[in-house]
Amino acid sequence: MEANLVLSYQSFSKVSMRNIKINTYYKYNKLAYPSTCCVLTKPPHNNDSSNYHVYKDNWFDHLAINHLSQSIQATTGLRNKKSGYEGFVEAARVVYVNFNSTHQANIVIESLQRAFPKPILSLVKMLLPESKWAREYCAIFTTIFFPWLVGPCEVKESEFNGRKENNVVHIKKCRLLEETNCVGMCTNLCKMPSQLFIKDTLGMSVNMVPNFDDMSCEMIFGQDPPPPDTDPAFMQPCYKLCKLNNKHQTDCNSQMKKKDHLEIS
């Protein structure tokens, strides 16, 4: 395995994918401390199916999965007849196939806004201004209520401004990435919109750091993510067993797709 540890920049300006604004109010703030922004690795040529995790979703998991799936389908207007996590993945796949990377992020953000009532999010934002307690609370909340979406996860400790905090969620093996084998779907439909949505609705910075070698990921609450055009995660080649490789060949994560050029030219 070949891996490179990439340190994030100390500061960066307002950016967007390929210099296109996702939304005018999304800004990246200056980092107050050096930090890891991504572990960039070479994906394995083949994924070991023997390590595939079999999920036994309970009634709450099914309810949450179908609710988010229906929110995505309502946003796009494109329906599918599948149910459970398969239906959710299909809804996400439709977004990835039919829209460019800018629209993909906006669609997911709008779907999340449909899924989570705005008054509740506004109340949480008001009651939880960014602090050590809020960062640790968000980490614990994620591990309790979102394994159905990302897979088993746990809270880990990190150093924040010279102090130890339990502000990191370690996702042992991302359920979405394992299901799709697509790096582009990870970055464009999960990492980017989740970072923007959490920042906008909760006022909480979060950096999602995927490891494409073992399909794990870390959500670091309180850490600003690097801009997409310098984030190593967006430069990662896709898996050879990507289920969408007939559409994008091996470059699912390219931010300069021909389709994007055609839509913005």
Side-chain angles (χ1 to χ4, degrees):
M1 181 188 75
E2 178 180 326
N4 295 310
L5 183 65
V6 183
L7 296 181
S8 53
Y9 291 88
Q10 291 298 309
S11 63
F12 32 74
S13 58
K14 185 176 181 180
V15 298
S16 60
M17 289 183 281
R18 304 174 319 285
N19 296 322
I20 303 172
K21 295 180 180 178
I22 293 178
N23 276 310
T24 56
Y25 53 85
Y26 290 133
K27 297 181 179 179
Y28 290 94
N29 300 318
K30 184 176 180 181
L31 289 174
Y33 52 93
S35 53
T36 301
C37 68
C38 185
V39 176
L40 184 64
T41 68
K42 288 186 176 180
H45 295 302
N46 296 289
N47 295 327
D48 186 356
S49 59
S50 64
N51 292 327
Y52 186 85
H53 185 82
V54 177
Y55 290 88
K56 297 180 180 180
D57 296 316
N58 58 34
W59 67 268
F60 173 80
D61 299 331
H62 282 291
L63 184 66
I65 291 167
N66 289 326
H67 180 59
L68 183 55
S69 177
Q70 290 301 317
S71 295
I72 296 174
Q73 293 176 53
T75 301
T76 62
L78 302 172
R79 299 287 182 174
N80 72 73
K81 297 181 180 180
K82 298 179 180 180
S83 61
Y85 205 80
E86 184 182 7
F88 164 70
V89 170
E90 180 61 25
R93 192 175 285 128
V94 167
V95 174
Y96 192 75
V97 169
N98 289 282
F99 301 92
N100 69 19
S101 52
T102 304
H103 291 150
Q104 289 165 18
N106 285 333
I107 288 170
V108 174
I109 290 171
E110 184 177 343
S111 300
L112 292 172
Q113 291 171 341
R114 286 175 178 265
F116 299 99
K118 189 173 181 180
I120 294 179
L121 293 174
S122 298
L123 179 62
V124 172
K125 184 177 182 179
M126 180 180 67
L127 296 176
L128 291 177
E130 186 161 347
S131 63
K132 178 179 183 292
W133 187 86
R135 290 186 290 271
E136 294 186 337
Y137 176 84
C138 285
I140 294 173
F141 184 87
T142 301
T143 62
I144 295 174
F145 290 101
F146 288 97
W148 59 267
L149 178 61
V150 298
C153 46
E154 61 185 358
V155 175
K156 293 181 67 176
E157 185 181 71
S158 75
E159 186 172 306
F160 188 92
N161 287 340
R163 298 181 303 173
K164 297 292 184 179
E165 290 187 7
N166 294 313
N167 64 320
V168 177
V169 174
H170 176 70
I171 301 167
K172 299 177 182 180
K173 192 171 188 179
C174 176
R175 186 177 186 178
L176 178 63
L177 187 56
E178 183 180 27
E179 187 68 29
T180 63
N181 283 343
C182 182
V183 170
M185 289 186 69
C186 165
T187 54
N188 291 359
L189 301 184
C190 181
K191 173 178 165 63
M192 174 58 68
S194 296
Q195 290 173 168
L196 295 174
F197 177 77
I198 293 172
K199 177 66 174 180
D200 181 56
T201 58
L202 300 181
M204 176 72 66
S205 300
V206 62
N207 183 21
M208 299 186 70
V209 184
N211 184 324
F212 293 113
D213 181 67
D214 61 6
M215 293 189 174
S216 66
C217 184
E218 290 195 341
M219 298 179 65
I220 309 173
F221 287 97
Q223 183 181 102
D224 290 301
D229 55 359
T230 61
D231 191 331
F234 287 91
M235 304 171 193
Q236 176 72 47
C238 203
Y239 298 97
K240 286 190 175 182
L241 293 183
C242 171
K243 295 180 180 179
L244 293 180
N245 61 6
N246 289 329
K247 173 180 183 286
H248 295 301
Q249 297 179 352
T250 59
D251 196 17
C252 284
N253 206 20
S254 172
Q255 295 190 72
M256 298 298 289
K257 297 172 188 172
K258 182 178 179 181
K259 183 179 177 182
D260 288 2
H261 280 303
L262 292 176
E263 292 192 16
I264 65 176
S265 60

